[in-house]
Structures are given as C-alpha cells and as structure tokens.
C-alpha cells in the first residue's frame, strides 16, 4: 500500500484530464437539453398572436391562407360557452378540435376552442363571444407531436449527460487504479529467491554420561 501511494499521479494513465472531459461533455449535453426544451416552449408560445387579441363581442379582421389551418384561442376565468363566427367564410371551415390544448403566456392561459381551414385566401372578419368576460386570439394550429418531441429530446439530453459523464468518470477511475497497481508491482523490491538459509547443525545434547 505504501508503494502504491508513492506512485506519482502524473504517471498514471488515462490522465486526470478525462475527469474534466466528463464534466464538459455533461454540461454540453445538459445545455443542449435546456435549449431544446426552451425552443419547444417558445415555438408554442409564439404560435398565438396575443398582440392582436380582442375582447368578446368585438370583431377583428385576419388574413387566412388556403391550406393553412389556424386556431382560435380563448382566455377566460372559467368554462364559459364560446361561440365564434366568420360570416364570409364557407360553412364547415370552422370546426371544434377533438382534444384540448392550452398555453400559458405571462399571466394568461389560452385554450384552443376552434380550428379554421379556409377554402380560399383572403381577409375575413372574426367575431367571438363567451358567457364570461374573455379575450380571444388567433394562432397557428398547435404541433403537439413536434412540441412533445422537442421536450422528449431535451429530457433525453439530460439523461445522456448523466450517463455519459458517469461512464467516463468510472472508466477513468478504474483504469487509473489498475495502472497504479501495475506500476506499484513493477517498482516493488524483488522478493529473495531460493530456499531459506540454514544455520549450523545442532551439537549433541548435554546430559549425564551414559555407562
């Protein structure tokens, strides 16, 4: 053990720089995970045009493009019944989504209530009402799969950061320990070889003379 302790750390392989490599790789993967999650959330938040929101009962004109589905969002204090109309658009262009989708922007929570798929491009007046005081906004159709995929990829980066950093650290520590033992064995003094030395033959036992 004393010989192992005298082995200089700089002589061991792999070098201790691999501990730093493990930390850097872990931080990079964790940073990538944070970036992916933030990007997914930001894309969802930016999908709602809150700058052009309007109150219930008001009418606001928006541009619609053929083949581009838009979503109507409402922000209200409860579950008030919501109705929206686009008189100049053909019947069936506005539908209720099969699932709920909500986004929190600042202090407001926006819930998707309708989706609009226009038959022709143009500017159309949109009017919405609710049983409760409410604000309405038009936004993009939520890409739920892309949002979930971005968040899942971010979580995967966090997990990879822990696993990769731990693996590099453990492998480095184990290999340095083995190298230390090999060097200690090489530097240990040689063990004497051959049979143990023998002393002089014992003399006759002393005692009274025999007759």
């Amino acid at each position: 053990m004393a010989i192992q302790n005298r082995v200089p750390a700089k002589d061991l392989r792999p070098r201790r720089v691999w501990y730093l490599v493990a930390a850097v790789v872990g931080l990079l993967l964790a940073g990538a995970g944070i970036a992916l999650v933030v990007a997914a959330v930001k894309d969802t938040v930016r999908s709602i045009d809150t700058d052009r929101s309007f109150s219930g009962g008001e009418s606001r004109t928006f541009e619609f493009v053929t083949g581009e589905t838009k979503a109507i969002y409402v922000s209200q204090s409860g579950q008030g019944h919501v109705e929206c109309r686009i008189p100049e658009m053909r019947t069936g262009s506005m539908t209720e989504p099969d699932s709920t989708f909500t986004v929190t922007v600042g202090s407001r929570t926006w819930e998707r209530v309708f989706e609009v798929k226009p038959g022709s491009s143009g500017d159309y007046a949109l009017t919405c009402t609710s049983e409760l005081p409410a604000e309405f906004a038009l936004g993009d159709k939520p890409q739920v799969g892309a949002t979930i995929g971005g968040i899942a990829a971010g979580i995967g980066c966090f997990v990879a950061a822990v696993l990769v950093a731990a693996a590099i650290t453990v492998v480095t520590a184990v290999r340095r320990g083995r190298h230390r033992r090999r060097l200690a064995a090489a530097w240990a003094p040689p063990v004497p070889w051959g049979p143990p030395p023998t002393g002089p033959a014992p003399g006759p036992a002393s005692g009274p003379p025999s007759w």
Side-chain angles (χ1 to χ4, degrees), residues 111-189:
E111 179 183 2
R112 178 187 56 173
V113 287
F114 295 104
E115 290 184 353
V116 181
K117 187 175 183 180
S120 58
S121 302
D123 295 333
Y124 295 90
L126 170 64
T127 304
C128 294
T129 59
S130 174
E131 298 174 339
L132 301 173
E135 286 287 318
F136 295 88
L138 191 69
D140 297 329
K141 178 181 178 181
Q143 303 296 325
V144 180
T147 302
I148 295 176
I151 295 175
I155 295 174
C157 285
F158 283 116
V159 175
V162 174
L163 294 179
V164 172
I168 294 176
T169 301
V170 171
V171 170
T172 301
V174 170
R175 295 185 64 182
R176 283 175 64 86
R178 291 176 179 174
H179 193 208
R180 182 188 298 274
R181 289 192 293 271
R182 288 198 301 269
L183 292 179
W187 292 355

Side-chain angles (χ1 to χ4, degrees), residues 4-47:
Q4 290 191 21
N5 292 336
R6 290 200 301 268
V7 176
K10 63 182 181 63
D11 292 340
L12 299 179
R13 299 293 183 273
R15 294 185 180 275
R16 284 182 294 184
V17 69
W18 282 99
Y19 293 127
L20 178 61
V21 172
V24 171
V25 171
L27 290 175
L28 289 176
L29 288 173
I34 294 174
L36 288 172
V37 173
V38 170
V41 173
K42 282 187 175 180
D43 288 344
T44 303
V45 170
R46 285 197 297 261
S47 66

